[in-house]
Amino acid sequence: MRIGIANDSPTAAEALRRAVALGTEHQVAWIARTGADAVRLCRDLPPDLVLMDLAMPVLDGVEATRRIMREAPCAILIVTAAPQDNVGQVFRALGAGALDVTATPVLLGRTDGEAALLAKIRTIGKLIAGAPAAAASAAVPPPPAASGPPLARLVAIGASTGGPIALARVLARWRPPADTAAVIVQHIDAAFAGQLARWLGEQTAVPVRAIAGGEPVEGGVVHVAASDDHLRLTPERRLVYDAHPRDEVYRPSIDVFFHSVARYWTPNATGVLLTGMGRDGAAGLLAMRQAGQATIAQDEATCAVYGMPRAAAELGAAGKILPLDNIATALG
């Protein structure tokens, strides 16, 4: 992969350059010292991936990400010091189109930061290459006799690139009623998933909770997956985590959760697939539709990245294809 580095700190930029050099299959394409330079270099010398800092001169990392995704789209990984102290900026950058976030490795000292960064780069490389998702449905055991759902309805929402902002906009317009549970699977590092739940709760009037694992779905509440393991719905309508399938590129996988909803919930469920790179969620959304459940995909015009919803549309998985701001109305 050809990797661009956008960081105005010479020390941080050198730490990133050395970390990239450890992966012999990667090369540094360029180093930008301002957000504006990063936008220009993405346009003139397109990289496969940009390692984008948040605190950048001229244009900060959020605005640079937004402009790159509009003018010269490419994969962007937010790499910044103490990302946990800049949660608002992190989620705005993810909403603008960044794929993930990790901490900047130090130049001298511990090497776990370099390992974490290279792991993120490898995963993004698989996404860029279009690595196929594992067969999520194969890992789900045959359903037992139905015992009847404790709630009237379940809304299952999957999102990836651009998802945090899209989720906040949907939840600002829609609140699950007392007989409806909502569950979100967003592609995000587990270290930030709990913060995503808190941030969404701050953006909306909806009660939002990170899923610990093992709890039942609850009406009037938005549950958010908070692990790198896959989220599943059990026959008893509980939310549990499962490390399998281990070779699944997307963690947590939207497909895995949607398939479990198709098996274990009554037809009165709705699947929603929002903006994101790749194809995760498309096959699961199709399974939900084939099970008689309602399905919605975000339209191209309002997606930060029209990947997952496009795949769903191509499969015939989406009963409705809607602009983002119309999805809340469709949920009722």
Side-chain angles (χ1 to χ4, degrees), residues 82-100:
Q84 67 278 4
D85 296 335
N86 298 282
V87 173
Q89 272 194 303
V90 165
F91 292 133
R92 284 193 292 274
L94 293 173
L99 288 172
D100 206 344

Side-chain angles (χ1 to χ4, degrees), residues 135-145 231-236 240-242 244-245 256-257 259-265:
S137 59
V140 181
L231 183 69
R232 295 187 190 276
L233 182 73
T234 72
E236 297 76 29
V240 300
Y241 293 115
D242 187 347
H244 298 279
V256 168
F257 184 66
H259 274 288
S260 70
V261 173
R263 284 180 175 266
Y264 296 129
W265 201 266

Side-chain angles (χ1 to χ4, degrees), residues 204-226:
T204 74
V206 179
V208 182
R209 297 178 189 164
I211 299 167
E215 63 265 48
V217 289
E218 182 179 345
V221 172
V222 174
H223 306 266
V224 179

Side-chain angles (χ1 to χ4, degrees), residues 20-116:
V20 169
L22 292 174
T24 55
E25 69 273 31
H26 310 309
Q27 60 175 310
V28 173
W30 42 258
I31 297 176
R33 300 298 186 188
T34 73
D37 283 344
V39 176
R40 176 181 57 79
L41 287 166
C42 281
R43 191 170 50 241
D44 297 345
L45 299 169
D48 298 307
L49 170 66
V50 176
L51 307 182
M52 177 72 71
D53 192 17
L54 286 175
M56 295 281 289
V58 186
L59 296 177
D60 67 13
V62 176
E63 183 58 27
T65 295
R66 184 175 292 111
R67 295 195 188 185
I68 289 169
M69 295 307 295
R70 184 175 64 237
E71 300 174 20
C74 66
I76 297 175
L77 173 63
I78 299 299
V79 185
T80 191
Q84 67 278 4
D85 296 335
N86 298 282
V87 173
Q89 272 194 303
V90 165
F91 292 133
R92 284 193 292 274
L94 293 173
L99 288 172
D100 206 344
V101 58
T102 193
T104 308
V106 296
L107 187 58
L108 297 174
R110 297 174 59 182
T111 60
D112 52 351
E114 294 175 342

Side-chain angles (χ1 to χ4, degrees), residues 187-209:
H187 294 161
I188 192 169
D189 191 297
F192 296 95
Q195 292 174 322
L196 172 64
R198 288 192 292 274
W199 181 78
L200 287 174
E202 292 169 357
Q203 307 304 308
T204 74
V206 179
V208 182
R209 297 178 189 164

Side-chain angles (χ1 to χ4, degrees), residues 259 262 283-293 295 315-317:
H259 274 288
L285 198 70
L286 179 61
M288 290 185 66
R289 190 173 190 190
Q290 290 172 338
Q293 297 162 344
T295 56
L315 284 178

